[in-house]
Amino acid sequence: MMSYKDCTEKSQHPKKVLRDKGSKSCFEIDNPSRREFTITRVDGCMIQGHVEKCDYMVGVHEEEEKGVLHLVELKGKKLDKAISQLESTLQRVPEEFERYRKLCYAITTVIPKGGPRAMKKKVEFERKNSAILKYSTMRYKVTI
């Protein structure tokens, strides 16, 4: 495992798009006020080896030891796999983000099936991990 700092870049870009090589899905950051935020490459950098992990973490600092941490998994079709990768990463979040609000995004190339099963999974995830889970197809855009 490399250090969090070695895998993180700071940015104030007004627009940033995160995607994986060969992936059609993306996570867009809209930053009209040019706030500073961090982007951490989790998979293959911060967390290596045969451990489930998500692709990116985006940290937005708000005040004394608080802020929002966005965990992003860009996935093909396997929503369940994306959810377990997000859960696994939540258990390995650096200490400095402990008090941050955590938002998790599973962005897939196919439309996740809705209905009661998906809703139950979302509620279960949020209760178990103290983090919010959002699904999206192809792209998700946040404004910070």
Short mmCIF file of all heavy atoms in Angstrom, two decimals, residues 29-97:
data_model
loop_
_atom_site.label_atom_id
_atom_site.label_comp_id
_atom_site.label_asym_id
_atom_site.label_seq_id
_atom_site.Cartn_x
_atom_site.Cartn_y
_atom_site.Cartn_z
N ILE A 29 -16.66 16.62 -11.93
CA ILE A 29 -16.63 17.56 -10.81
C ILE A 29 -16.77 18.96 -11.39
O ILE A 29 -15.96 19.39 -12.20
CB ILE A 29 -15.31 17.44 -10.02
CG1 ILE A 29 -15.12 16.01 -9.51
CG2 ILE A 29 -15.27 18.46 -8.88
CD1 ILE A 29 -13.70 15.65 -9.18
N ASP A 30 -17.81 19.64 -10.98
CA ASP A 30 -18.06 21.01 -11.40
C ASP A 30 -17.68 21.89 -10.21
O ASP A 30 -18.22 21.73 -9.12
CB ASP A 30 -19.55 21.15 -11.74
CG ASP A 30 -19.82 22.31 -12.68
OD1 ASP A 30 -18.84 22.95 -13.13
OD2 ASP A 30 -21.00 22.58 -12.95
N ASN A 31 -16.76 22.79 -10.41
CA ASN A 31 -16.20 23.58 -9.31
C ASN A 31 -16.18 25.06 -9.70
O ASN A 31 -15.11 25.65 -9.89
CB ASN A 31 -14.78 23.05 -9.02
CG ASN A 31 -14.12 23.71 -7.84
OD1 ASN A 31 -14.77 24.35 -7.01
ND2 ASN A 31 -12.82 23.57 -7.76
N PRO A 32 -17.37 25.68 -9.84
CA PRO A 32 -17.43 27.07 -10.32
C PRO A 32 -16.70 28.07 -9.43
O PRO A 32 -16.16 29.06 -9.92
CB PRO A 32 -18.93 27.37 -10.38
CG PRO A 32 -19.58 26.35 -9.51
CD PRO A 32 -18.68 25.15 -9.52
N SER A 33 -16.62 27.80 -8.12
CA SER A 33 -15.94 28.75 -7.22
C SER A 33 -14.46 28.43 -7.07
O SER A 33 -13.76 29.09 -6.29
CB SER A 33 -16.64 28.77 -5.87
OG SER A 33 -16.67 27.47 -5.33
N ARG A 34 -13.98 27.44 -7.82
CA ARG A 34 -12.56 27.05 -7.81
C ARG A 34 -12.03 26.73 -6.41
O ARG A 34 -10.93 27.14 -6.04
CB ARG A 34 -11.70 28.12 -8.48
CG ARG A 34 -11.96 28.19 -9.97
CD ARG A 34 -11.05 29.22 -10.61
NE ARG A 34 -11.11 29.13 -12.06
CZ ARG A 34 -10.19 28.50 -12.82
NH1 ARG A 34 -9.17 27.93 -12.27
NH2 ARG A 34 -10.33 28.46 -14.12
N ARG A 35 -12.82 25.99 -5.64
CA ARG A 35 -12.38 25.52 -4.32
C ARG A 35 -11.29 24.49 -4.51
O ARG A 35 -11.26 23.78 -5.51
CB ARG A 35 -13.54 24.84 -3.60
CG ARG A 35 -14.66 25.77 -3.24
CD ARG A 35 -15.81 25.01 -2.65
NE ARG A 35 -15.44 24.42 -1.36
CZ ARG A 35 -16.27 23.69 -0.64
NH1 ARG A 35 -17.47 23.42 -1.08
NH2 ARG A 35 -15.89 23.20 0.52
N GLU A 36 -10.42 24.39 -3.53
CA GLU A 36 -9.40 23.36 -3.61
C GLU A 36 -10.01 22.02 -3.20
O GLU A 36 -10.79 21.95 -2.26
CB GLU A 36 -8.23 23.69 -2.69
CG GLU A 36 -7.09 22.69 -2.85
CD GLU A 36 -5.87 23.06 -2.06
OE1 GLU A 36 -5.05 23.86 -2.56
OE2 GLU A 36 -5.76 22.56 -0.93
N PHE A 37 -9.67 20.98 -3.95
CA PHE A 37 -10.11 19.63 -3.61
C PHE A 37 -8.98 18.67 -3.96
O PHE A 37 -8.02 19.05 -4.62
CB PHE A 37 -11.42 19.26 -4.34
CG PHE A 37 -11.33 19.25 -5.84
CD1 PHE A 37 -11.12 18.07 -6.53
CD2 PHE A 37 -11.48 20.43 -6.57
CE1 PHE A 37 -11.06 18.05 -7.92
CE2 PHE A 37 -11.42 20.42 -7.95
CZ PHE A 37 -11.21 19.24 -8.63
N THR A 38 -9.08 17.45 -3.45
CA THR A 38 -8.05 16.46 -3.74
C THR A 38 -8.65 15.30 -4.52
O THR A 38 -9.82 14.95 -4.34
CB THR A 38 -7.42 15.90 -2.43
OG1 THR A 38 -8.45 15.32 -1.63
CG2 THR A 38 -6.70 16.98 -1.66
N ILE A 39 -7.84 14.72 -5.38
CA ILE A 39 -8.23 13.53 -6.13
C ILE A 39 -7.19 12.46 -5.80
O ILE A 39 -5.99 12.67 -5.99
CB ILE A 39 -8.23 13.78 -7.65
CG1 ILE A 39 -9.23 14.87 -8.00
CG2 ILE A 39 -8.55 12.48 -8.39
CD1 ILE A 39 -9.11 15.35 -9.44
N THR A 40 -7.66 11.33 -5.30
CA THR A 40 -6.78 10.23 -4.95
C THR A 40 -7.08 9.04 -5.85
O THR A 40 -8.23 8.61 -5.96
CB THR A 40 -6.99 9.80 -3.48
OG1 THR A 40 -6.81 10.95 -2.65
CG2 THR A 40 -6.00 8.72 -3.07
N ARG A 41 -6.05 8.53 -6.48
CA ARG A 41 -6.16 7.32 -7.29
C ARG A 41 -6.06 6.16 -6.30
O ARG A 41 -4.99 5.93 -5.72
CB ARG A 41 -5.01 7.29 -8.31
CG ARG A 41 -5.03 6.10 -9.17
CD ARG A 41 -5.86 6.37 -10.42
NE ARG A 41 -5.95 5.12 -11.15
CZ ARG A 41 -7.08 4.61 -11.58
NH1 ARG A 41 -8.20 5.25 -11.44
NH2 ARG A 41 -7.09 3.47 -12.21
N VAL A 42 -7.17 5.48 -6.07
CA VAL A 42 -7.19 4.42 -5.06
C VAL A 42 -6.71 3.10 -5.64
O VAL A 42 -5.75 2.51 -5.17
CB VAL A 42 -8.62 4.25 -4.46
CG1 VAL A 42 -8.65 3.12 -3.44
CG2 VAL A 42 -9.06 5.56 -3.80
N ASP A 43 -7.38 2.64 -6.71
CA ASP A 43 -7.07 1.35 -7.32
C ASP A 43 -5.70 1.40 -8.00
O ASP A 43 -5.47 2.20 -8.90
CB ASP A 43 -8.15 0.96 -8.32
CG ASP A 43 -8.04 -0.46 -8.82
OD1 ASP A 43 -7.05 -1.14 -8.48
OD2 ASP A 43 -8.92 -0.90 -9.58
N GLY A 44 -4.79 0.56 -7.55
CA GLY A 44 -3.47 0.49 -8.16
C GLY A 44 -2.48 1.50 -7.62
O GLY A 44 -1.32 1.52 -8.03
N CYS A 45 -2.90 2.35 -6.70
CA CYS A 45 -1.96 3.30 -6.11
C CYS A 45 -2.07 3.26 -4.58
O CYS A 45 -1.29 2.60 -3.92
CB CYS A 45 -2.19 4.72 -6.65
SG CYS A 45 -0.81 5.83 -6.25
N MET A 46 -3.10 3.92 -4.02
CA MET A 46 -3.24 3.94 -2.57
C MET A 46 -3.47 2.53 -2.01
O MET A 46 -2.93 2.16 -0.98
CB MET A 46 -4.38 4.86 -2.15
CG MET A 46 -4.44 5.09 -0.66
SD MET A 46 -5.81 6.14 -0.17
CE MET A 46 -7.02 4.92 0.30
N ILE A 47 -4.29 1.76 -2.71
CA ILE A 47 -4.53 0.37 -2.30
C ILE A 47 -4.14 -0.52 -3.47
O ILE A 47 -4.68 -0.37 -4.57
CB ILE A 47 -6.01 0.13 -1.92
CG1 ILE A 47 -6.45 1.06 -0.78
CG2 ILE A 47 -6.22 -1.33 -1.52
CD1 ILE A 47 -7.93 0.99 -0.46
N GLN A 48 -3.19 -1.42 -3.22
CA GLN A 48 -2.73 -2.32 -4.28
C GLN A 48 -3.01 -3.76 -3.90
O GLN A 48 -3.42 -4.04 -2.78
CB GLN A 48 -1.23 -2.11 -4.51
CG GLN A 48 -0.91 -0.71 -4.98
CD GLN A 48 0.58 -0.46 -5.10
OE1 GLN A 48 1.40 -1.27 -4.71
NE2 GLN A 48 0.93 0.69 -5.64
N GLY A 49 -2.79 -4.63 -4.82
CA GLY A 49 -2.95 -6.05 -4.51
C GLY A 49 -4.37 -6.54 -4.72
O GLY A 49 -5.19 -5.89 -5.35
N HIS A 50 -4.64 -7.71 -4.15
CA HIS A 50 -5.91 -8.39 -4.40
C HIS A 50 -6.98 -8.04 -3.38
O HIS A 50 -7.68 -8.91 -2.89
CB HIS A 50 -5.68 -9.90 -4.42
CG HIS A 50 -4.69 -10.31 -5.47
ND1 HIS A 50 -4.98 -10.24 -6.82
CD2 HIS A 50 -3.42 -10.74 -5.37
CE1 HIS A 50 -3.93 -10.64 -7.50
NE2 HIS A 50 -2.95 -10.94 -6.65
N VAL A 51 -7.09 -6.77 -3.06
CA VAL A 51 -8.10 -6.29 -2.13
C VAL A 51 -9.11 -5.51 -2.97
O VAL A 51 -8.72 -4.79 -3.89
CB VAL A 51 -7.46 -5.32 -1.09
CG1 VAL A 51 -8.50 -4.83 -0.11
CG2 VAL A 51 -6.32 -5.99 -0.38
N GLU A 52 -10.39 -5.67 -2.66
CA GLU A 52 -11.37 -4.87 -3.39
C GLU A 52 -11.20 -3.40 -3.03
O GLU A 52 -11.00 -3.05 -1.87
CB GLU A 52 -12.79 -5.32 -3.04
CG GLU A 52 -13.16 -6.63 -3.66
CD GLU A 52 -14.65 -6.90 -3.55
OE1 GLU A 52 -15.29 -6.46 -2.58
OE2 GLU A 52 -15.19 -7.55 -4.47
N LYS A 53 -11.26 -2.54 -4.05
CA LYS A 53 -11.12 -1.10 -3.81
C LYS A 53 -11.81 -0.35 -4.94
O LYS A 53 -11.95 -0.86 -6.04
CB LYS A 53 -9.66 -0.67 -3.72
CG LYS A 53 -8.83 -0.95 -4.97
CD LYS A 53 -7.91 -2.08 -4.71
CE LYS A 53 -7.05 -2.51 -5.86
NZ LYS A 53 -6.67 -3.90 -5.76
N CYS A 54 -12.21 0.88 -4.64
CA CYS A 54 -12.85 1.70 -5.67
C CYS A 54 -11.78 2.40 -6.49
O CYS A 54 -10.59 2.25 -6.23
CB CYS A 54 -13.83 2.70 -5.04
SG CYS A 54 -13.05 4.01 -4.08
N ASP A 55 -12.20 3.16 -7.49
CA ASP A 55 -11.24 3.81 -8.38
C ASP A 55 -10.66 5.11 -7.83
O ASP A 55 -9.47 5.35 -7.91
CB ASP A 55 -11.90 4.08 -9.75
CG ASP A 55 -12.25 2.78 -10.46
OD1 ASP A 55 -11.38 1.90 -10.54
OD2 ASP A 55 -13.40 2.64 -10.91
N TYR A 56 -11.53 5.98 -7.30
CA TYR A 56 -11.10 7.31 -6.87
C TYR A 56 -11.73 7.73 -5.55
O TYR A 56 -12.82 7.28 -5.20
CB TYR A 56 -11.51 8.38 -7.90
CG TYR A 56 -10.88 8.23 -9.24
CD1 TYR A 56 -11.55 7.62 -10.29
CD2 TYR A 56 -9.60 8.74 -9.50
CE1 TYR A 56 -10.97 7.49 -11.55
CE2 TYR A 56 -9.02 8.61 -10.75
CZ TYR A 56 -9.71 7.99 -11.77
OH TYR A 56 -9.14 7.86 -13.01
N MET A 57 -11.03 8.64 -4.86
CA MET A 57 -11.59 9.38 -3.73
C MET A 57 -11.39 10.86 -4.05
O MET A 57 -10.31 11.26 -4.48
CB MET A 57 -10.85 9.09 -2.42
CG MET A 57 -11.12 7.75 -1.84
SD MET A 57 -10.44 7.49 -0.16
CE MET A 57 -8.93 8.41 -0.10
N VAL A 58 -12.44 11.64 -3.84
CA VAL A 58 -12.35 13.09 -4.03
C VAL A 58 -12.70 13.73 -2.69
O VAL A 58 -13.80 13.54 -2.17
CB VAL A 58 -13.33 13.56 -5.13
CG1 VAL A 58 -13.29 15.08 -5.26
CG2 VAL A 58 -13.02 12.89 -6.47
N GLY A 59 -11.74 14.47 -2.14
CA GLY A 59 -11.94 15.10 -0.83
C GLY A 59 -12.18 16.59 -0.97
O GLY A 59 -11.43 17.28 -1.66
N VAL A 60 -13.24 17.07 -0.32
CA VAL A 60 -13.55 18.50 -0.31
C VAL A 60 -13.58 18.95 1.14
O VAL A 60 -14.48 18.57 1.90
CB VAL A 60 -14.91 18.79 -1.00
CG1 VAL A 60 -15.16 20.30 -1.06
CG2 VAL A 60 -14.96 18.18 -2.40
N HIS A 61 -12.58 19.74 1.53
CA HIS A 61 -12.45 20.20 2.91
C HIS A 61 -13.42 21.36 3.15
O HIS A 61 -13.52 22.25 2.34
CB HIS A 61 -11.01 20.65 3.15
CG HIS A 61 -10.74 20.98 4.57
ND1 HIS A 61 -10.63 20.01 5.54
CD2 HIS A 61 -10.57 22.16 5.20
CE1 HIS A 61 -10.40 20.59 6.70
NE2 HIS A 61 -10.35 21.89 6.53
N GLU A 62 -14.14 21.31 4.27
CA GLU A 62 -15.09 22.39 4.56
C GLU A 62 -14.68 23.23 5.76
O GLU A 62 -14.67 24.43 5.69
CB GLU A 62 -16.50 21.82 4.73
CG GLU A 62 -17.07 21.40 3.39
CD GLU A 62 -18.43 20.73 3.49
OE1 GLU A 62 -18.93 20.51 4.61
OE2 GLU A 62 -18.99 20.44 2.43
N GLU A 63 -14.42 22.59 6.86
CA GLU A 63 -14.02 23.32 8.06
C GLU A 63 -13.19 22.40 8.93
O GLU A 63 -12.91 21.26 8.53
CB GLU A 63 -15.26 23.82 8.81
CG GLU A 63 -16.20 22.69 9.21
CD GLU A 63 -17.49 23.17 9.82
OE1 GLU A 63 -18.34 23.68 9.10
OE2 GLU A 63 -17.62 23.02 11.05
N GLU A 64 -12.84 22.83 10.09
CA GLU A 64 -12.05 22.06 11.05
C GLU A 64 -12.30 20.55 10.98
O GLU A 64 -13.31 20.07 11.47
CB GLU A 64 -12.38 22.57 12.47
CG GLU A 64 -11.47 22.05 13.54
CD GLU A 64 -10.19 22.87 13.68
OE1 GLU A 64 -10.14 24.00 13.17
OE2 GLU A 64 -9.25 22.35 14.30
N GLU A 65 -11.40 19.80 10.35
CA GLU A 65 -11.45 18.35 10.27
C GLU A 65 -12.73 17.79 9.67
O GLU A 65 -13.08 16.64 9.92
CB GLU A 65 -11.24 17.73 11.65
CG GLU A 65 -9.84 17.93 12.20
CD GLU A 65 -9.68 17.35 13.59
OE1 GLU A 65 -10.28 16.30 13.87
OE2 GLU A 65 -8.98 17.97 14.40
N LYS A 66 -13.47 18.61 8.93
CA LYS A 66 -14.71 18.12 8.33
C LYS A 66 -14.74 18.46 6.86
O LYS A 66 -14.03 19.31 6.38
CB LYS A 66 -15.93 18.73 9.03
CG LYS A 66 -16.18 18.14 10.40
CD LYS A 66 -17.51 18.59 10.92
CE LYS A 66 -17.72 18.00 12.32
NZ LYS A 66 -18.82 18.61 13.01
N GLY A 67 -15.62 17.77 6.16
CA GLY A 67 -15.78 17.99 4.74
C GLY A 67 -16.58 16.86 4.14
O GLY A 67 -17.31 16.16 4.84
N VAL A 68 -16.42 16.67 2.85
CA VAL A 68 -17.12 15.60 2.15
C VAL A 68 -16.10 14.76 1.39
O VAL A 68 -15.21 15.30 0.74
CB VAL A 68 -18.15 16.19 1.14
CG1 VAL A 68 -18.88 15.07 0.42
CG2 VAL A 68 -19.15 17.09 1.85
N LEU A 69 -16.23 13.46 1.52
CA LEU A 69 -15.37 12.54 0.79
C LEU A 69 -16.24 11.76 -0.19
O LEU A 69 -17.20 11.10 0.21
CB LEU A 69 -14.67 11.58 1.75
CG LEU A 69 -13.65 10.64 1.10
CD1 LEU A 69 -12.47 11.43 0.52
CD2 LEU A 69 -13.14 9.62 2.12
N HIS A 70 -15.93 11.89 -1.47
CA HIS A 70 -16.66 11.19 -2.52
C HIS A 70 -15.84 9.96 -2.91
O HIS A 70 -14.67 10.10 -3.29
CB HIS A 70 -16.82 12.08 -3.76
CG HIS A 70 -17.50 13.38 -3.49
ND1 HIS A 70 -18.86 13.54 -3.55
CD2 HIS A 70 -17.00 14.60 -3.16
CE1 HIS A 70 -19.18 14.79 -3.27
NE2 HIS A 70 -18.07 15.45 -3.02
N LEU A 71 -16.43 8.77 -2.83
CA LEU A 71 -15.76 7.54 -3.27
C LEU A 71 -16.43 7.11 -4.57
O LEU A 71 -17.65 7.00 -4.62
CB LEU A 71 -15.88 6.44 -2.22
CG LEU A 71 -14.92 6.56 -1.04
CD1 LEU A 71 -15.43 7.57 -0.04
CD2 LEU A 71 -14.71 5.24 -0.37
N VAL A 72 -15.62 6.88 -5.59
CA VAL A 72 -16.15 6.65 -6.94
C VAL A 72 -15.68 5.31 -7.48
O VAL A 72 -14.49 5.02 -7.48
CB VAL A 72 -15.66 7.78 -7.90
CG1 VAL A 72 -16.20 7.56 -9.30
CG2 VAL A 72 -16.04 9.15 -7.37
N GLU A 73 -16.64 4.51 -7.95
CA GLU A 73 -16.32 3.28 -8.65
C GLU A 73 -16.95 3.33 -10.03
O GLU A 73 -18.17 3.44 -10.17
CB GLU A 73 -16.83 2.04 -7.88
CG GLU A 73 -16.64 0.73 -8.61
CD GLU A 73 -15.19 0.42 -9.01
OE1 GLU A 73 -14.24 0.85 -8.31
OE2 GLU A 73 -15.00 -0.25 -10.04
N LEU A 74 -16.10 3.29 -11.05
CA LEU A 74 -16.55 3.28 -12.44
C LEU A 74 -16.57 1.82 -12.87
O LEU A 74 -15.55 1.16 -12.85
CB LEU A 74 -15.59 4.10 -13.31
CG LEU A 74 -15.41 5.55 -12.86
CD1 LEU A 74 -14.25 6.20 -13.59
CD2 LEU A 74 -16.69 6.36 -13.07
N LYS A 75 -17.73 1.34 -13.24
CA LYS A 75 -17.90 -0.10 -13.46
C LYS A 75 -18.61 -0.37 -14.77
O LYS A 75 -19.34 0.46 -15.26
CB LYS A 75 -18.76 -0.67 -12.31
CG LYS A 75 -18.60 -2.13 -12.10
CD LYS A 75 -17.36 -2.36 -11.32
CE LYS A 75 -16.86 -3.75 -11.26
NZ LYS A 75 -15.43 -3.74 -11.13
N GLY A 76 -18.42 -1.58 -15.28
CA GLY A 76 -19.16 -2.02 -16.46
C GLY A 76 -20.60 -2.31 -16.08
O GLY A 76 -21.41 -1.42 -15.87
N LYS A 77 -20.91 -3.60 -15.91
CA LYS A 77 -22.29 -4.00 -15.66
C LYS A 77 -22.55 -4.43 -14.22
O LYS A 77 -23.69 -4.52 -13.80
CB LYS A 77 -22.65 -5.17 -16.57
CG LYS A 77 -22.57 -4.82 -18.03
CD LYS A 77 -22.80 -6.04 -18.89
CE LYS A 77 -22.66 -5.66 -20.34
NZ LYS A 77 -22.42 -6.77 -21.21
N LYS A 78 -21.52 -4.73 -13.47
CA LYS A 78 -21.70 -5.40 -12.18
C LYS A 78 -21.87 -4.44 -11.01
O LYS A 78 -20.92 -4.09 -10.32
CB LYS A 78 -20.53 -6.33 -11.93
CG LYS A 78 -20.42 -7.41 -12.99
CD LYS A 78 -19.24 -8.28 -12.75
CE LYS A 78 -19.16 -9.35 -13.83
NZ LYS A 78 -17.84 -9.93 -13.93
N LEU A 79 -23.12 -4.06 -10.78
CA LEU A 79 -23.43 -3.12 -9.69
C LEU A 79 -23.06 -3.71 -8.33
O LEU A 79 -22.49 -3.03 -7.49
CB LEU A 79 -24.91 -2.73 -9.73
CG LEU A 79 -25.37 -1.76 -8.65
CD1 LEU A 79 -24.63 -0.43 -8.77
CD2 LEU A 79 -26.87 -1.55 -8.73
N ASP A 80 -23.39 -5.00 -8.11
CA ASP A 80 -23.08 -5.62 -6.82
C ASP A 80 -21.58 -5.58 -6.53
O ASP A 80 -21.16 -5.33 -5.40
CB ASP A 80 -23.56 -7.08 -6.78
CG ASP A 80 -25.08 -7.17 -6.70
OD1 ASP A 80 -25.74 -6.12 -6.52
OD2 ASP A 80 -25.62 -8.28 -6.84
N LYS A 81 -20.77 -5.82 -7.54
CA LYS A 81 -19.31 -5.79 -7.40
C LYS A 81 -18.86 -4.36 -7.06
O LYS A 81 -18.02 -4.15 -6.18
CB LYS A 81 -18.65 -6.26 -8.71
CG LYS A 81 -17.16 -6.19 -8.73
CD LYS A 81 -16.53 -7.32 -7.98
CE LYS A 81 -15.02 -7.31 -8.22
NZ LYS A 81 -14.31 -7.96 -7.16
N ALA A 82 -19.44 -3.36 -7.74
CA ALA A 82 -19.10 -1.96 -7.46
C ALA A 82 -19.41 -1.61 -6.01
O ALA A 82 -18.61 -0.97 -5.32
CB ALA A 82 -19.87 -1.03 -8.40
N ILE A 83 -20.56 -2.07 -5.52
CA ILE A 83 -20.97 -1.79 -4.13
C ILE A 83 -19.99 -2.43 -3.16
O ILE A 83 -19.55 -1.79 -2.20
CB ILE A 83 -22.42 -2.27 -3.88
CG1 ILE A 83 -23.39 -1.38 -4.67
CG2 ILE A 83 -22.75 -2.25 -2.39
CD1 ILE A 83 -24.82 -1.89 -4.71
N SER A 84 -19.57 -3.67 -3.41
CA SER A 84 -18.64 -4.31 -2.47
C SER A 84 -17.26 -3.63 -2.52
O SER A 84 -16.57 -3.55 -1.51
CB SER A 84 -18.57 -5.82 -2.67
OG SER A 84 -17.82 -6.15 -3.79
N GLN A 85 -16.86 -3.12 -3.69
CA GLN A 85 -15.58 -2.39 -3.78
C GLN A 85 -15.65 -1.08 -2.97
O GLN A 85 -14.68 -0.71 -2.31
CB GLN A 85 -15.25 -2.09 -5.24
CG GLN A 85 -14.79 -3.32 -6.00
CD GLN A 85 -14.62 -3.04 -7.48
OE1 GLN A 85 -15.54 -3.23 -8.26
NE2 GLN A 85 -13.45 -2.59 -7.85
N LEU A 86 -16.78 -0.41 -3.02
CA LEU A 86 -16.95 0.83 -2.25
C LEU A 86 -16.92 0.52 -0.76
O LEU A 86 -16.26 1.22 0.01
CB LEU A 86 -18.26 1.53 -2.64
CG LEU A 86 -18.26 2.16 -4.04
CD1 LEU A 86 -19.68 2.43 -4.52
CD2 LEU A 86 -17.43 3.45 -4.05
N GLU A 87 -17.60 -0.55 -0.35
CA GLU A 87 -17.61 -0.95 1.07
C GLU A 87 -16.20 -1.26 1.56
O GLU A 87 -15.80 -0.83 2.64
CB GLU A 87 -18.49 -2.18 1.28
CG GLU A 87 -19.94 -1.84 1.41
CD GLU A 87 -20.78 -3.02 1.84
OE1 GLU A 87 -20.64 -4.12 1.25
OE2 GLU A 87 -21.59 -2.84 2.76
N SER A 88 -15.46 -2.00 0.77
CA SER A 88 -14.10 -2.38 1.14
C SER A 88 -13.21 -1.13 1.29
O SER A 88 -12.41 -1.04 2.21
CB SER A 88 -13.53 -3.32 0.08
OG SER A 88 -12.21 -3.64 0.37
N THR A 89 -13.37 -0.18 0.38
CA THR A 89 -12.57 1.05 0.44
C THR A 89 -12.93 1.88 1.67
O THR A 89 -12.05 2.45 2.31
CB THR A 89 -12.75 1.89 -0.84
OG1 THR A 89 -12.47 1.06 -1.97
CG2 THR A 89 -11.82 3.09 -0.84
N LEU A 90 -14.20 1.92 2.02
CA LEU A 90 -14.63 2.67 3.21
C LEU A 90 -13.90 2.20 4.47
O LEU A 90 -13.62 2.99 5.36
CB LEU A 90 -16.15 2.55 3.42
CG LEU A 90 -17.01 3.47 2.59
CD1 LEU A 90 -18.47 3.04 2.65
CD2 LEU A 90 -16.86 4.92 3.01
N GLN A 91 -13.55 0.93 4.52
CA GLN A 91 -12.84 0.39 5.69
C GLN A 91 -11.37 0.79 5.70
O GLN A 91 -10.67 0.59 6.68
CB GLN A 91 -12.96 -1.13 5.71
CG GLN A 91 -14.38 -1.60 5.92
CD GLN A 91 -14.58 -3.07 5.56
OE1 GLN A 91 -13.62 -3.80 5.33
NE2 GLN A 91 -15.82 -3.49 5.51
N ARG A 92 -10.89 1.37 4.60
CA ARG A 92 -9.47 1.73 4.48
C ARG A 92 -9.25 3.22 4.25
O ARG A 92 -8.18 3.63 3.82
CB ARG A 92 -8.85 0.94 3.32
CG ARG A 92 -8.82 -0.54 3.57
CD ARG A 92 -8.47 -1.33 2.32
NE ARG A 92 -8.35 -2.73 2.60
CZ ARG A 92 -9.37 -3.56 2.73
NH1 ARG A 92 -10.60 -3.13 2.58
NH2 ARG A 92 -9.18 -4.83 2.98
N VAL A 93 -10.26 4.02 4.53
CA VAL A 93 -10.15 5.46 4.31
C VAL A 93 -9.11 6.04 5.28
O VAL A 93 -9.11 5.69 6.47
CB VAL A 93 -11.54 6.13 4.53
CG1 VAL A 93 -11.45 7.63 4.69
CG2 VAL A 93 -12.47 5.79 3.38
N PRO A 94 -8.23 6.92 4.79
CA PRO A 94 -7.23 7.53 5.68
C PRO A 94 -7.88 8.24 6.87
O PRO A 94 -8.97 8.80 6.76
CB PRO A 94 -6.53 8.54 4.76
CG PRO A 94 -6.74 8.03 3.38
CD PRO A 94 -8.08 7.36 3.40
N GLU A 95 -7.19 8.20 7.98
CA GLU A 95 -7.68 8.75 9.24
C GLU A 95 -8.16 10.20 9.13
O GLU A 95 -9.12 10.59 9.77
CB GLU A 95 -6.56 8.66 10.28
CG GLU A 95 -7.06 8.34 11.66
CD GLU A 95 -5.90 8.10 12.60
OE1 GLU A 95 -5.39 6.96 12.64
OE2 GLU A 95 -5.51 9.08 13.28
N GLU A 96 -7.47 11.00 8.32
CA GLU A 96 -7.83 12.41 8.23
C GLU A 96 -9.25 12.64 7.69
O GLU A 96 -9.80 13.72 7.82
CB GLU A 96 -6.82 13.19 7.40
CG GLU A 96 -6.68 12.71 5.98
CD GLU A 96 -5.30 13.00 5.43
OE1 GLU A 96 -4.35 12.26 5.80
OE2 GLU A 96 -5.16 13.94 4.67
N PHE A 97 -9.85 11.62 7.10
CA PHE A 97 -11.22 11.75 6.56
C PHE A 97 -12.27 11.13 7.47
O PHE A 97 -13.43 11.03 7.11
CB PHE A 97 -11.31 11.10 5.18
CG PHE A 97 -10.50 11.80 4.14
CD1 PHE A 97 -9.39 11.20 3.59
CD2 PHE A 97 -10.85 13.08 3.71
CE1 PHE A 97 -8.63 11.85 2.63
CE2 PHE A 97 -10.09 13.74 2.77
CZ PHE A 97 -8.98 13.12 2.22
#
